[in-house]
Amino acid sequence: MRTAVLGGGIAGLTAAYRLARRGVDVTLFEATDKLGGLGGWFKYDGYRLDKWYHVLLDSDAYLLGLIAELGLRDRVDWAETTMGFIVNNKHYPFNTAVDLLKFGALKPLDRIRTGMAALYITKLLRNGRPLDNEPAHTWLVRIFGRRVYESIWEPLLIAKFGDMRDRVPAYWVWNTLNREKNGSQEVKGYVRGGNAVIVDRLVEEIEKAGGRIRLSTPVTSISSNADGATLDVADEAVHFDNVVCTLPFSRLNKIADKALLSKIPQSSIDYQGVVNVMLVTRERLSRHYWTAVVRSDLPFQGVVETTHVVRPDAIGNRHLLYLMNYCRPDSDLYKRSDSLQIRDAIDGLGRLYPDFKEDSVADAFVFRAPFVEPVWPCGYLNARPQSQVIDTRVFLATTAQAYPMVTSWNTSVKLADDAISAMLGRESAVVSASTDAAALGNAAASIVNGAGTAPIA
Ligand SMILES: Cc1cc2nc3c(=O)[nH]c(=O)nc-3n(C[C@H](O)[C@H](O)[C@H](O)COP(=O)(O)OP(=O)(O)OC[C@H]3O[C@@H](n4cnc5c(N)ncnc54)[C@H](O)[C@@H]3O)c2cc1C
């Protein structure tokens, strides 16, 4: 049974790993010269640094199961982390009930309402499914009140979905708020050496089991019927019995023939892209892992300092700051030149953090990704694509199927497992989410700990 896997991000690598281990003749095609996709890295002074900030949560059962299976469990470092808010240029911690009570960006009564609303969402409202048909903004206004919505929630939704925020269902917010709720303290994890270490192990296992990985080999067309699929690869038409596609739909749309596309629901879903300024610094900036920035003199939606989780001594005692803007790939914000993006970041940090000094920046980089976050429409739960495209031998494991989970490595591993189960049958599928996962860490959640609202990052 010859199977092709399209895409060398975590979904494609997991799929190829599962297939190769089941004795399937598998070839993975990756368009670029690197594996890792959105979880990719670059070499810096002998270290491998993430292009886009990445951490694990202890609720990432599928990914943690895979990590344990690959023998990397002992390489996971966990750290307690916190989040902050900068609103109108003022800094607030946002982690405990006391933080919420002191959160000067809201009126006192609104703070109490926010705390109650958060408790309701995370403790009482156990079934979020009916929220699939309700837009997030109407639900959030109802639960938190308009002032809190406009002060906190709307900027967070804009940060993720931009001008398409009003389409997103409340169910997605409910899931995001409940995702990190595994205990009483926010905890994030990181595999020492980064995603690169996971990818290296997957490659090793795939090749050991006879699978092939072809880099710099974009698939340029795909068609399929009930007997198999044909791909155009390197100017050659190649037949496979099965194909696992992990490409975002915006990419799949460009290569799938009309007949195949017509069978894929939601294939025209919109995506938000992201532009990240990454600063390698000599000093720590903030005490928070993540700081959301709202209506302030820093033209970015947030600052993530991953070296609260990534150990600075493992990367030459550097600190890593990521300043992000989620936006459409055709927007001016996305296309703004690298030098202006970097200037905006450094000047803005100087305005908001009195101790920040430009000369502590050792290096600055800009990374863009055009298709990161599908913009979910209401009612997506019943409309989202299934693992197998009907009447074909194409199996999907793409971010467009993540809903209602957040897009993450954990979700992509699950989607790959689902696709392989659909292809090989449930009984032969590998169940990756080992119970070890839960034991790997403690907890997470800025939300319930008191502060009430949650990261949408
Ligand atoms: C800023 C940012 C922060 C994030 N933070 C986290 C985090 O903290 N934790 C977390 O778990 N997740 C995080 N994520 C999300 C996570 O990175 C993604 O959800 C995940 O990497 C998606 O993996 P994937 O394999 O499904 O898709 P992708 O990584 O997009 O992989 C698709 C692959 O297909 C390849 N491809 C495209 N076209 C073709 C073609 N024609 N032929 C062959 N190959 C092709 C691409 O080059 C790519 O390698 C973050 C993402 C971003 C952008």
Side-chain angles (χ1 to χ4, degrees), residues 216-345:
S216 306
T217 313
V219 173
T220 52
S221 88
I222 170 170
S223 59
S224 179
N225 57 28
D227 298 325
T230 304
L231 305 181
D232 275 346
V233 195
D235 293 330
E236 217 187 307
V238 194
H239 180 81
F240 289 90
D241 300 304
N242 294 303
V243 167
V244 181
C245 176
T246 71
L247 277 41
F249 279 1
S250 310
R251 297 263 186 238
L252 179 61
N253 282 342
K254 297 226 165 9
I255 62 169
D257 76 350
K258 271 196 184 146
L260 175 58
L261 261 190
S262 69
K263 294 174 185 155
I264 303 178
Q266 306 294 331
S267 61
S268 57
I269 193 166
D270 282 314
Y271 282 77
Q272 277 282 78
V274 75
V275 51
N276 257 193
V277 175
M278 180 200 182
L279 303 180
V280 181
T281 66
R282 297 183 186 87
E283 274 148 44
R284 171 165 282 192
L285 175 77
S286 150
R287 62 191 161 109
H288 301 303
Y289 168 80
W290 179 49
T291 304
V293 179
V294 177
R295 292 186 299 277
S296 296
D297 294 337
L298 175 67
F300 291 87
Q301 296 151 353
V303 183
V304 172
E305 188 161 5
T306 55
T307 29
H308 287 284
V309 184
V310 179
R311 285 170 33 185
D313 63 353
I315 53 167
N317 291 316
R318 272 93 170 195
H319 298 263
L320 305 179
L321 300 178
Y322 297 79
L323 294 93
M324 90 294 281
N325 271 320
Y326 279 83
C327 49
R328 289 185 194 240
D330 57 0
S331 63
D332 291 343
L333 196 53
Y334 188 88
K335 292 192 269 191
R336 201 167 158 73
S337 73
D338 287 7
S339 54
L340 287 177
Q341 304 262 14
I342 291 169
R343 198 65 262 155
D344 283 351

Side-chain angles (χ1 to χ4, degrees), residues 69-142:
E69 208 179 308
L70 294 171
L72 298 173
R73 180 189 160 138
D74 293 342
R75 291 187 69 120
V76 182
D77 291 329
W78 294 97
E80 294 186 358
T81 54
T82 58
M83 90 167 268
F85 251 106
I86 300 178
V87 186
N88 297 328
N89 295 327
K90 288 186 80 172
H91 294 248
Y92 304 95
F94 206 70
N95 303 285
T96 64
V98 175
D99 290 344
L100 178 59
L101 286 174
K102 291 184 181 166
F103 189 58
L106 295 178
K107 292 180 189 299
L109 271 180
D110 287 341
R111 296 175 209 165
I112 292 167
R113 182 167 179 178
T114 299
M116 306 282 284
L119 285 176
Y120 166 68
I121 293 169
T122 54
K123 301 276 188 223
L124 292 179
L125 187 58
R126 297 322 309 145
N127 176 16
R129 286 177 81 96
L131 299 173
D132 183 44
N133 286 308
E134 174 162 10
H137 65 104
T138 57
W139 181 67
L140 289 167
V141 167
R142 207 168 63 243

Side-chain angles (χ1 to χ4, degrees), residues 5-13 29-32 34-40 51-56 60 63 179 195 217-220 246-248 251 255 274 276 289 324 326 369 371-373 397-399 406-412 415 457:
V5 173
L6 274 54
I10 188 62
L13 286 162
F29 298 100
E30 165 55 43
T32 69
K34 292 191 177 65
L35 295 169
L38 291 175
K51 289 181 175 174
W52 297 279
Y53 51 94
H54 270 74
V55 285
L56 305 165
D60 284 350
L63 178 57
R179 172 185 179 226
N195 287 340
T217 313
V219 173
T220 52
T246 71
L247 277 41
R251 297 263 186 238
I255 62 169
V274 75
N276 257 193
Y289 168 80
M324 90 294 281
Y326 279 83
F371 309 118
V372 173
E373 195 67 31
T398 83
T399 46
V406 298
T407 51
S408 69
W409 270 41
N410 182 59
T411 304
S412 290
L415 291 168

